[in-house]
Amino acid sequence: MSTSGGLNRVAVVVNTLSRTGSIAYTQAVRSLTELGVPLGTTYPLRDPARLVETVRAAIDDEHDFVIIGGGDGTISSVVDVLAHTGVPMGLLPLGTANDFARTLEIPTEIEKACETIARGKVVDIDLGLCGNNYYANRASVGIGSNVATAMSPKLKKLVGSLAYPVASARGFMRHRPFPARLTFPDGDHPTKEFNSLLQVSVANGRYFGGGQLAVFDSGIDDSTLDVTVIKHGNIRELATVARNFKSTKLLETDQAEHIRTRRMRLETTPNMPINIDGELVAGTPRDFSVARNALHVVVPQDWVDGG
């Protein structure tokens, strides 16, 4: 399905407090108008807390397409509203990492992102579910939660794309190992017990954490979640983890284990916070599942899911 033709009212919702939001909003409205996109109401938001209610209002006001401008946190906030509505989403990547845009091969340049919206195609993609909370990229427990805590707006503004490696280093240094139990309701894997872990991550998207690849053949439309367990160890083993933390090479070592599944329950001792696309919004124990074809989104005409 192409976005060319068939649209009546398109809403534009931009988080103008994101790194380049204010300038991007003006540029996007101009470009989209020049490209013939039939804009309805446009919303330059200065309060990110109003994102969800604004997107919901745009849908209630019978906009048949919603363009979202912001980073991965913005996307994660609004997919709960857009999931299973059939209202397509266009994306203006304005964040620090833009992992969701990277997965979908959407250009980060505003002019080219607008061209993708005007001339791209609409596809259905999966979302992850952490309890009842939809997410686009990844949920994690352990180091990932520490990274979310270290990833302050001040750090993002100060070092830009380097914020993720800096926050990751801080998260790694602050981490304490924990035990976990993973169970699989569909019976596709036996129950797994771990005594000492650094992290459990549950990826839906192909990329997360500033360009980190979940698994070499991961996809966002493959009906599954990619679970990665990273184990604690001695000094030498921890050095291996630190050296390969941002690479799929870690999965080739004894310090990590990959599990592909549709449903999983995660229990930890003690209960721990869960980082969902950069925000701490839930805690263990929690059930994870894949929401098949939950979101309609515009991608380039030549996009093919990595999985």
Side-chain angles (χ1 to χ4, degrees), residues 35-93:
L35 289 164
V37 177
L39 299 184
T41 308
T42 62
Y43 306 86
L45 297 183
R46 293 195 58 79
D47 182 4
R50 296 187 56 222
L51 277 167
V52 171
E53 66 180 74
T54 301
V55 174
R56 185 175 288 117
I59 295 173
D60 291 343
D61 197 28
E62 299 185 350
H63 289 86
D64 55 1
F65 191 99
V66 178
I67 297 171
I68 303 295
D72 290 317
T74 297
I75 301 305
S76 189
S77 296
V78 303
V79 293
D80 286 275
V81 181
L82 290 168
H84 300 296
T85 63
V87 176
M89 181 185 76
L91 178 60
L92 302 172

Side-chain angles (χ1 to χ4, degrees), residues 191-255:
T191 296
K192 294 181 178 290
E193 304 258 6
F194 299 94
N195 294 325
S196 185
L197 296 181
L198 293 172
Q199 179 169 276
V200 178
S201 71
V202 188
N204 171 65
R206 185 164 171 78
Y207 294 98
F208 56 81
Q212 184 176 346
L213 184 63
V215 187
F216 75 94
D217 62 346
S218 60
I220 200 169
D221 196 33
D222 58 4
S223 303
T224 59
L225 300 170
D226 288 298
V227 181
T228 302
V229 176
I230 303 178
K231 304 169 187 176
H232 196 266
N234 57 37
I235 295 297
R236 183 177 179 180
E237 290 166 335
L238 289 176
T240 296
V241 172
R243 185 169 59 251
N244 298 290
F245 188 67
K246 298 282 287 184
S247 168
T248 55
K249 290 182 179 179
L250 183 60
L251 297 175
E252 300 171 8
T253 73
D254 293 335
Q255 294 308 112

Side-chain angles (χ1 to χ4, degrees), residues 121-271:
K121 63 182 179 181
V122 177
V123 299
D124 299 329
I125 62 170
D126 302 336
L127 292 174
L129 265 173
C130 175
N132 295 320
N133 194 316
Y134 290 96
Y135 64 93
N137 297 326
R138 180 186 69 155
S140 65
V141 169
I143 293 175
S145 298
N146 294 338
V147 172
T149 302
M151 184 71 72
S152 65
K154 182 178 179 180
L155 180 63
K156 290 182 182 180
K157 286 183 178 294
L158 185 64
V159 299
S161 61
L162 293 177
Y164 269 96
V166 172
S168 294
R170 291 179 179 176
F172 195 92
M173 295 298 293
R174 296 172 183 172
H175 181 68
R176 297 294 179 270
F178 63 95
R181 184 172 190 259
L182 283 61
T183 53
F184 303 88
D186 294 338
D188 51 336
H189 301 280
T191 296
K192 294 181 178 290
E193 304 258 6
F194 299 94
N195 294 325
S196 185
L197 296 181
L198 293 172
Q199 179 169 276
V200 178
S201 71
V202 188
N204 171 65
R206 185 164 171 78
Y207 294 98
F208 56 81
Q212 184 176 346
L213 184 63
V215 187
F216 75 94
D217 62 346
S218 60
I220 200 169
D221 196 33
D222 58 4
S223 303
T224 59
L225 300 170
D226 288 298
V227 181
T228 302
V229 176
I230 303 178
K231 304 169 187 176
H232 196 266
N234 57 37
I235 295 297
R236 183 177 179 180
E237 290 166 335
L238 289 176
T240 296
V241 172
R243 185 169 59 251
N244 298 290
F245 188 67
K246 298 282 287 184
S247 168
T248 55
K249 290 182 179 179
L250 183 60
L251 297 175
E252 300 171 8
T253 73
D254 293 335
Q255 294 308 112
E257 184 174 337
H258 169 248
I259 306 158
R260 184 161 283 165
T261 188
R262 293 191 179 195
R263 292 200 298 159
M264 181 193 76
R265 180 169 179 81
L266 173 62
E267 300 168 272
T268 65
T269 305
N271 294 343

